[in-house]
């Protein structure tokens, strides 16, 4: 929705979505397969550290602009959501006023500080990412959209072979997404327990 709101022609959103997601899928799959092919079970987290030595430093140096752009993008999306919620039905939402800029800057700076504190205060941040991905991403990206697809076809599941196949695909997606959410959450929680038991969890606000 934030993307559609910023587009000059919202009707072009599906085309933009397919192009961007196709590019991202190709990048993620190619990078992931190449790194895993050469590193295997010895792959580091993040994978940029797998190179070691000078190669690792170069990899991080090249990736810094991407890290900055990604963090800026997500801060912008979260801040925009908060900003609109605060100033909804207010003239200051689109007015160049002190209240407008105070709210916007407070949202962006506040979310940036909160993100930094969470990232640095949680000593097992990589496990938290896995936990969030399992408990949030699977339901919101797979289960809920599939349920919405079934709801839109309610009472029309067997009207044609195409619709039936699509509804069956939705059902498979729901089952798969539910499994990933449950199995991923259990695995991540168990990994946190094992990390504490083995003493590999570092302290807060450290690079260890």
């Amino acid at each position: 929705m934030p993307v559609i709101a910023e587009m000059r022609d919202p009707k072009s959103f599906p085309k933009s979505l397919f192009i961007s997601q196709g590019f991202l899928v190709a990048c993620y799959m190619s990078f992931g397969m190449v790194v895993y092919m050469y590193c295997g079970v010895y792959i580091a987290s993040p994978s940029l550290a797998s190179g070691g030595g000078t190669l690792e430093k170069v990899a991080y140096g090249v990736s810094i602009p991407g890290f900055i752009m990604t963090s800026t993008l997500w801060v912008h999306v979260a801040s925009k959501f908060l900003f609109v919620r605060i100033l909804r039905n207010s003239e200051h939402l689109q007015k160049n006023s002190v209240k407008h800029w105070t709210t916007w800057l407070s949202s962006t700076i506040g979310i940036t500080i909160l993100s930094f504190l969470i990232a640095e205060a949680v000593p097992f941040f990589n496990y938290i990412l896995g936990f969030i991905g399992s408990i949030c991403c699977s339901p919101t990206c797979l289960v809920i959209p599939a349920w919405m697809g079934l709801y839109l076809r309610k009472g029309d599941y067997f009207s044609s072979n195409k619709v039936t196949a699509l509804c069956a695909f939705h059902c498979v997606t729901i089952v798969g997404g539910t499994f990933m959410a449950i199995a991923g959450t259990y695995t991540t929680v168990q990994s946190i327990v094992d990390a504490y038991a083995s003493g590999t969890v570092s302290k807060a606000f450290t690079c260890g």
Side-chain angles (χ1 to χ4, degrees):
M1 293 304 294
V3 177
I4 297 178
E6 300 290 342
M7 293 184 68
R8 179 179 300 175
D9 182 13
K11 293 182 179 179
S12 299
F13 177 74
K15 179 175 64 177
S16 304
L17 176 65
F18 284 117
I19 293 175
S20 62
Q21 291 302 310
F23 178 75
L24 288 174
V25 169
C27 288
Y28 274 106
M29 290 187 66
S30 58
F31 294 160
M33 288 188 294
V34 169
V35 173
Y36 191 76
M37 180 179 68
Y38 286 102
C39 298
V41 296
Y42 303 104
I43 189 171
S45 179
S47 60
L48 295 175
S50 302
T54 304
L55 183 59
E56 178 182 351
K57 296 178 182 178
V58 172
Y60 274 109
V62 173
S63 302
I64 285 176
F67 294 152
I68 295 175
M69 292 175 62
T70 302
S71 59
T72 302
L73 172 65
W74 287 114
V75 167
H76 174 81
V77 171
S79 302
K80 184 72 174 289
F81 177 80
L82 181 62
F83 174 74
V84 173
R85 293 283 294 182
I86 294 174
L87 296 182
R88 186 183 297 276
N89 300 323
S90 171
E91 63 176 4
H92 297 284
L93 181 61
Q94 295 181 327
K95 185 178 180 180
N96 189 15
S97 62
V98 175
K99 186 175 182 179
H100 173 99
W101 284 105
T102 301
T103 305
W104 173 246
L105 292 176
S106 299
S107 300
T108 54
I109 295 173
I111 289 177
T112 301
I113 294 175
L114 179 62
S115 302
F116 173 78
L117 292 177
I118 293 175
E120 293 299 322
V122 178
F124 45 86
F125 187 67
N126 55 331
Y127 296 121
I128 288 296
L129 292 179
F131 179 79
I132 293 174
S134 300
I135 204 170
C136 296
C137 292
S138 294
T140 55
C141 296
L142 296 174
V143 179
I144 294 177
W147 274 116
M148 293 172 65
L150 290 176
Y151 180 79
L152 291 174
R153 295 290 183 177
K154 186 177 181 180
D156 193 34
Y157 299 146
F158 304 101
S159 60
S160 66
N161 293 333
K162 181 179 179 180
V163 173
T164 302
L166 183 61
C167 292
F169 177 73
H170 288 326
C171 292
V172 173
T173 303
I174 291 173
V175 174
T178 303
F179 172 77
M180 284 189 284
I182 297 174
T185 302
Y186 172 80
T187 303
T188 305
V189 172
Q190 187 61 48
S191 298
I192 295 174
V193 174
D194 294 340
Y196 268 107
S198 61
T200 57
V201 177
S202 59
K203 297 181 180 179
F205 295 98
T206 61
C207 296

